[in-house]
Amino acid sequence: MRRRDLFAYSDFRLAIGGQLLSQASDALTSFTLAEILVFSFNSSPSLIAMASTLLMSAIPLVVVGPIAGHLADRFNRKSILVNGHLARAVIAGSAAISVLPRFHAFGYVAFALLLGLTRILYTARATAFPQLVRKHELVAADSMSLIVAVFAGSIGAGIGMSTAHHYPVFALLIAAGGQLMASRLFSFMSTDLGKGTSKNSRGHLLSAIKQLKKQKTKFAIYATASHRLILGICIASISLLVDASYGLHTTGYVAVLGFSATGAFIGSVTAEWMSEHFPRRSITVIAFGGSAIVICVASFATTPRVGLFAVSIASFLFQNLRVRSDATVQSNVSQSNMGHVFAAYDMLYNLAFIAGGILGIALSGSLSYSAVLGCAVAGFAAMSLVFAVINDGKSELESANKIHPSAWPIVVQVAAIAQ
């Protein structure tokens, strides 16, 4: 399945076009509010920057995540996308008053509201994809969505760089216009994107929990969350090494995130090819085994450059796993519970990353760089072996221990590292 083939579906074109406009406008709004509110890199060490950023990132996940899942199952998803982007347009436009010193506080309020809406709209859009494409096309659709997100962020930041500093009101009005256009594109969609049918909250929650207990879903969630947690430890440790080596302070953390984002983008591009050539279990084993190998090299090299490239490769491997796991959840959960289940999945693996980052900071305070990465290598290696043998939900069709032959060399190398 090729990504470009999906554009034969008119509603998929509208959804991707709406996403591009929405996320570019969102990036422009965030960039402009940063200028207005005088956000800037500071001289604090990466330790403080990381801890504060991770803790702040957890707030919208914990508070808005469950609400986003409930809304996606309780209301028509097309209406959520249309009205949600209208709300974004209003917030972006009204944020222009924050340029006045006495209304600066409204800029923070607008920023918080946009963060919350981002979670809601992401969940609604992700749960709509199974209605727009066929099951075997979900990996291609999800990877295309992630690729578009990167381009949208770049476009928004590019416009912000040329307008936000000198013409912040104009920049926010452009962002508001982009959100209105996105809402309009979503309104043109003719496909029924679905909604939950149950009005019994308790029964609906029990049904969602039952869906979460499906073996395929559990395998996807456990794999993605555990890899993300260990990757968080690596990113925290390598960020502190970069900070200590180059004296970059906060920008040391940003540099590591930049390398991670680059690897993730390449992973989004290759995810469809990987899914076509390897079964889900093999992708999981390769993601953990490959990460164990590159982080092991970084733990022995103890140089920032090797650490940065190791993070980039591990993020690349994670993104291939994440896209495949997204598609697994989307294709194996009933539409009536999709919002709750996908929101729970998204919240778990993102909270796992936050927990991993905090754990990495804590370990770095008492252990050496090599020791912290050694713990991460052990974790990656152990999970690679675990996911090579546990039931992935296909036991009724094939042996739970069956694995693609191409993945066995990595399993062997990981076993050697573990020993």
Side-chain angles (χ1 to χ4, degrees):
M1 182 64 218
R2 297 171 300 179
R3 279 182 290 266
R4 65 173 178 267
D5 294 336
L6 299 177
F7 288 94
Y9 305 139
S10 60
D11 281 348
F12 181 80
R13 293 198 302 270
L14 291 170
I16 289 296
Q19 177 191 339
L20 178 66
L21 285 168
S22 170
Q23 293 181 328
S25 301
D26 194 37
L28 174 57
T29 304
S30 299
F31 194 100
T32 306
L33 287 175
E35 283 285 341
I36 294 172
L37 302 174
V38 201
F39 291 160
S40 62
F41 294 132
N42 55 56
S43 58
S44 300
S46 285
L47 185 67
I48 297 173
M50 278 190 293
S52 58
T53 301
L54 290 169
L55 289 173
M56 285 192 297
S57 299
I59 295 173
L61 282 172
V62 174
V63 175
V64 184
I67 297 173
H70 176 74
L71 292 175
D73 282 345
R74 184 68 181 83
F75 299 99
N76 185 283
R77 288 164 193 151
K78 177 180 174 180
S79 297
I80 294 174
L81 290 168
V82 172
N83 295 322
H85 286 95
L86 285 176
R88 262 186 169 179
V90 172
I91 294 169
S94 61
I97 68 171
S98 62
V99 299
L100 302 174
R102 61 184 297 184
F103 291 107
H104 258 24
F106 186 79
Y108 293 99
V109 174
F111 196 76
L113 290 173
L114 288 172
L115 277 178
L117 272 173
T118 295
R119 304 311 310 172
I120 293 171
L121 293 174
Y122 170 74
T123 302
R125 189 173 62 248
T127 54
F129 274 162
Q131 308 301 314
L132 299 176
V133 300
R134 294 170 292 181
K135 276 191 175 184
H136 70 280
E137 297 168 334
L138 279 169
V139 170
D142 288 334
S143 64
M144 174 57 71
S145 177
L146 292 168
I147 292 168
V148 166
V150 173
F151 282 111
S154 301
I155 292 170
I159 297 173
M161 289 177 67
S162 60
T163 61
H165 183 67
H166 298 290
Y167 311 103
V169 174
F170 179 61
L172 289 172
L173 291 177
I174 292 175
Q179 299 291 3
L180 288 174
M181 292 173 63
S183 176
R184 188 64 174 163
L185 286 180
F186 283 114
S187 71
F188 286 147
M189 295 170 62
S190 58
T191 302
D192 180 8
L193 301 182
K195 67 173 183 177
T197 56
S198 173
K199 294 184 179 180
N200 183 338
S201 298
R202 185 172 181 276
H204 197 67
L205 182 60
L206 291 175
S207 180
I209 293 173
K210 184 178 179 180
Q211 295 286 323
L212 278 167
K213 289 182 177 179
K214 284 186 174 181
Q215 193 59 40
K216 285 185 179 181
T217 306
K218 286 197 298 183
F219 186 93
I221 293 174
Y222 292 159
T224 310
S226 55
H227 193 289
R228 193 73 166 147
L229 185 145
I230 303 170
L231 182 59
I233 295 173
C234 298
I235 286 177
S237 179
I238 293 170
S239 294
L240 295 175
L241 176 68
V242 172
D243 184 13
S245 300
Y246 297 133
L248 295 177
H249 300 298
T250 302
T251 48
Y253 177 46
V254 175
V256 176
L257 291 183
F259 271 80
S260 177
T262 301
F265 174 73
I266 299 172
S268 296
V269 174
T270 61
E272 178 269 331
W273 183 90
M274 286 285 290
S275 184
E276 288 287 331
H277 290 80
F278 297 94
R280 181 161 52 98
R281 184 193 295 278
S282 292
I283 292 174
T284 305
V285 171
I286 290 170
F288 280 95
S291 297
I293 292 169
V294 296
I295 297 300
C296 183
V297 172
S299 70
F300 282 106
T302 65
T303 60
R305 290 181 181 178
V306 175
L308 289 170
F309 281 106
V311 161
S312 183
I313 295 171
S315 298
F316 160 79
L317 293 168
F318 168 77
Q319 195 73 349
N320 281 279
L321 171 63
R322 179 257 176 106
V323 173
R324 188 67 186 87
S325 296
D326 284 1
T328 297
V329 174
Q330 289 168 324
S331 61
N332 287 283
V333 176
S334 70
Q335 281 302 304
S336 60
N337 301 120
M338 177 68 75
H340 281 88
V341 174
F342 197 88
Y345 158 71
D346 177 62
M347 184 169 63
L348 283 171
Y349 83 74
N350 279 297
L351 286 176
F353 174 73
I354 293 170
I358 293 172
L359 180 59
I361 292 171
L363 290 174
S364 298
S366 55
L367 299 176
S368 67
Y369 169 78
S370 295
V372 174
L373 288 193
C375 293
V377 170
F380 278 132
M383 297 312 295
S384 175
L385 298 175
V386 167
F387 286 110
V389 298
I390 66 171
N391 181 12
D392 66 348
K394 293 184 178 180
S395 56
E396 68 276 9
L397 299 177
E398 56 182 316
S399 169
N401 294 333
K402 186 175 180 181
I403 184 170
H404 196 274
S406 58
W408 276 116
I410 291 181
V411 174
V412 172
Q413 291 183 48
V414 169
I417 290 173
Q419 291 175 354

